[in-house]
Amino acid sequence: MARLLQDTSKLHPSEWYTANRMQRASTESQKARSECVIAESWRLVDEIEKTTQKTQSDVNKKIEQRREEIKFWKQELDNKLEQIVHETEVLLTFKNRLERALESCKETLVVAQKCLLYRQRRVGIDLVHDEVEQELLKEVEVLQGVIALLGRTLEQTNEQIRRNRSAKYNLEMDLKDKFTALTIDDYCASLTNDTPHIIYADNAMKLEGSFVSPEDWIDFSNINVEKADKQRNNSLALKALVDSILSQTANDMRKQCEMVNIAFRNRVKEVKDAKHKLETFLAMVMDETASQEKNIAALKKAIADKEGPVKVAQTRLEARNRRPNVELCYDTVHCSLMNEVQEITKNIQRLKDALAQAETELKRLSCRQLSLEEEIKVKENTLYIDEVLCMQMRESVYINNY
């Protein structure tokens, strides 16, 4: 019994009470800590829930703001695209006008050059560097200058169309990206916590690709808009220039064409007047030729008519020269016969001299007739070239304003 009372493996009741108190205290302490953790957890959950909701709400607002920004720039790009497309279409009509004007100028130039070539067929005195030729050369110079100017303007227009299409392409690409981005952001804006098929995307936080800053994003579209505005303004200025050039060149060509036509009409009138005078001179020469032929015939008859009297006088002298001896007297009869023969012979010579002069004049009249006829043919050739070939060909020339 004494050993039992002295067994050290048994605890003292006070230790038991102490142990129980410690268990209670430890439990109460653990419970308090647990309650603190629970309270902190609930507070944390509530805080994070509020924070998450606020953050998600802020993100939703930013997505909405971003959608509005994209819509704004998309509308701006749409407007600029519509404007640049319209200006390009208008420029294409101006290009067509320039091409038609250029083709018309080339046709008119061919007519002017043909006129110059035709007029090289003039002959004799009519192959002259007259007012018509001077005006035709001016017309060729004007047309060549206009063709060069229209060619340069057409090249400028083609280049402007190319630039407009480049600006249009940039706008279309930007709009395509804006449409894609807006579609994506519309999708993002439609997502909620209860949306089915939302997933964890561990790689979403990785910044892949070439991200740009919002400032660069705005600058990119702004540059496209500014480029489109610049090309549109350039197109407007070019349209005004083309209108001015087409109007001025048409006026210049029309004025010079009229100057050429006036010169042709005046020249044709001059040639016709000259031809009429030549025909009058020819009629005079032919009349004079007929008179001279009659005169020559009369002179020949007069000479022939003097053969009888001279033969009679010479026969008488021959007969009286056979008088015998003293009867061969140089009497008044013989003296008169001698004078008669001399007088008739002299008169016949005078008639022959007159005949020779008349025949010389007849030859000259014949030469003059041939010269006049040849000159009339020259004038007829000139009139055919100017009035028939050139003026009728120029009737097809019509200068539009295009």
Side-chain angles (χ1 to χ4, degrees):
M1 183 61 73
R3 287 196 296 270
L4 289 171
L5 291 172
Q6 292 176 355
D7 190 357
T8 56
S9 63
K10 292 183 179 181
L11 298 175
H12 192 271
S14 61
E15 292 177 333
W16 181 85
Y17 286 113
T18 300
N20 285 335
R21 285 195 299 269
M22 289 179 65
Q23 286 293 337
R24 185 177 68 242
S26 177
T27 301
E28 289 175 351
S29 176
Q30 185 64 46
K31 179 186 177 187
R33 287 197 300 270
S34 177
E35 287 175 348
C36 286
V37 169
I38 291 172
E40 180 62 25
S41 296
W42 280 105
R43 187 196 63 79
L44 183 61
V45 167
D46 185 61
E47 178 187 340
I48 290 175
E49 177 64 22
K50 290 179 180 178
T51 302
T52 301
Q53 289 179 359
K54 182 178 183 300
T55 302
Q56 194 176 66
S57 176
D58 290 342
V59 170
N60 289 338
K61 288 179 181 178
K62 285 182 169 57
I63 289 176
E64 187 60 32
Q65 290 174 355
R66 184 62 173 172
R67 290 173 65 224
E68 292 302 318
E69 285 181 334
I70 294 174
K71 288 178 181 178
F72 169 78
W73 281 107
K74 185 174 178 294
Q75 185 61 46
E76 283 291 303
L77 293 170
D78 273 328
N79 291 339
K80 299 307 174 185
L81 179 61
E82 183 180 352
Q83 291 173 359
I84 202 70
V85 167
H86 173 72
E87 289 305 324
T88 302
E89 290 175 351
V90 173
L91 269 187
L92 286 171
T93 64
F94 274 73
K95 175 187 174 182
N96 182 260
R97 289 173 61 191
L98 283 169
E99 288 173 340
R100 288 188 290 117
L102 193 58
E103 188 62 28
S104 176
C105 287
K106 290 178 180 178
E107 292 174 359
T108 306
L109 178 61
V110 169
V111 170
Q113 291 173 333
K114 279 186 177 181
C115 286
L116 287 170
L117 287 174
Y118 284 149
R119 298 189 95 245
Q120 292 299 318
R121 300 179 189 176
R122 293 173 298 163
V123 294
I125 193 63
D126 277 19
L127 188 59
V128 61
H129 184 63
D130 55 9
E131 184 182 359
V132 174
E133 187 167 343
Q134 293 171 14
E135 295 299 335
L136 279 171
L137 290 172
K138 286 182 184 178
E139 185 175 45
V140 169
E141 183 180 357
V142 168
L143 288 169
Q144 288 174 340
V146 168
I147 288 172
L149 176 59
L150 292 179
R152 291 194 301 271
T153 308
L154 182 59
E155 290 177 1
Q156 188 177 351
T157 303
N158 285 329
E159 176 61 19
Q160 186 59 52
I161 290 172
R162 186 195 66 78
R163 292 181 180 180
N164 284 4
R165 285 172 174 168
S166 175
K168 173 178 173 285
Y169 174 80
N170 292 335
L171 291 172
E172 286 174 338
M173 291 301 99
D174 200 352
L175 272 169
K176 180 181 177 182
D177 292 344
K178 291 287 186 296
F179 176 78
T180 303
L182 184 59
T183 302
I184 293 171
D185 282 347
D186 284 344
Y187 167 73
C188 292
S190 70
L191 294 176
T192 66
N193 297 332
D194 300 324
T195 301
H197 308 303
I198 55 176
I199 60 172
Y200 285 107
D202 295 334
N203 295 327
M205 292 299 293
K206 294 181 180 179
L207 297 178
E208 296 179 354
S210 301
F211 278 80
V212 298
S213 67
E215 292 76 14
D216 291 339
W217 179 81
I218 293 174
D219 287 343
F220 181 80
S221 293
N222 199 39
I223 287 172
N224 287 334
V225 168
E226 288 177 353
K227 284 182 178 179
D229 276 336
K230 180 181 179 182
Q231 299 312 323
R232 177 174 174 270
N233 291 332
N234 289 344
S235 297
L236 292 172
L238 182 59
K239 285 193 302 182
L241 177 64
V242 171
D243 261 333
S244 174
I245 287 175
L246 288 175
S247 176
Q248 186 60 49
T249 52
N251 288 336
D252 291 344
M253 290 188 296
R254 195 177 293 111
K255 179 180 178 182
Q256 185 57 38
C257 180
E258 185 59 26
M259 292 295 292
V260 172
N261 291 340
I262 290 172
F264 262 118
R265 289 194 290 269
N266 291 339
R267 186 59 177 169
V268 166
K269 184 178 182 302
E270 288 178 349
V271 175
K272 283 183 176 180
D273 289 343
K275 177 174 173 288
H276 178 70
K277 289 180 180 178
L278 290 172
E279 288 170 343
T280 302
F281 293 153
L282 178 60
M284 292 170 56
V285 168
M286 293 179 71
D287 289 343
E288 190 62 27
T289 298
S291 298
Q292 196 63 258
E293 287 174 346
K294 290 179 181 179
N295 181 48
I296 289 172
L299 288 171
K300 287 180 178 180
K301 182 177 182 305
I303 292 171
D305 289 345
K306 297 303 177 287
E307 289 179 358
V310 74
K311 286 178 181 179
V312 170
Q314 288 179 352
T315 300
R316 285 175 176 174
L317 283 174
E318 177 62 24
R320 295 187 92 246
N321 283 337
R322 292 195 299 270
R323 288 175 297 168
N325 301 320
V326 74
E327 293 301 323
L328 190 61
C329 177
Y330 191 76
D331 52 12
T332 56
V333 174
H334 200 83
C335 181
S336 295
L337 285 172
M338 290 289 290
N339 290 336
E340 183 182 11
V341 169
Q342 290 176 355
E343 180 181 318
I344 293 173
T345 301
K346 182 180 179 181
N347 287 335
I348 290 174
Q349 187 58 48
R350 288 173 62 193
L351 288 172
K352 287 182 178 180
D353 290 343
L355 177 61
Q357 184 178 0
E359 288 176 342
T360 300
E361 289 302 319
L362 182 62
K363 289 180 181 179
R364 290 176 178 174
L365 286 171
S366 179
C367 289
R368 173 49 46 195
Q369 179 179 342
L370 291 174
S371 176
L372 288 171
E373 288 173 346
E374 183 178 349
E375 193 62 27
I376 289 171
K377 288 180 180 179
V378 168
K379 297 295 182 286
E380 288 173 347
N381 177 66
T382 300
L383 286 173
Y384 175 73
I385 291 171
D386 284 353
E387 191 171 25
V388 179
L389 295 181
C390 293
M391 292 186 71
Q392 287 186 8
M393 180 173 60
R394 290 184 65 83
E395 288 177 1
S396 64
V397 175
Y398 183 75
I399 299 171
N400 294 310
N401 284 328
Y402 292 102

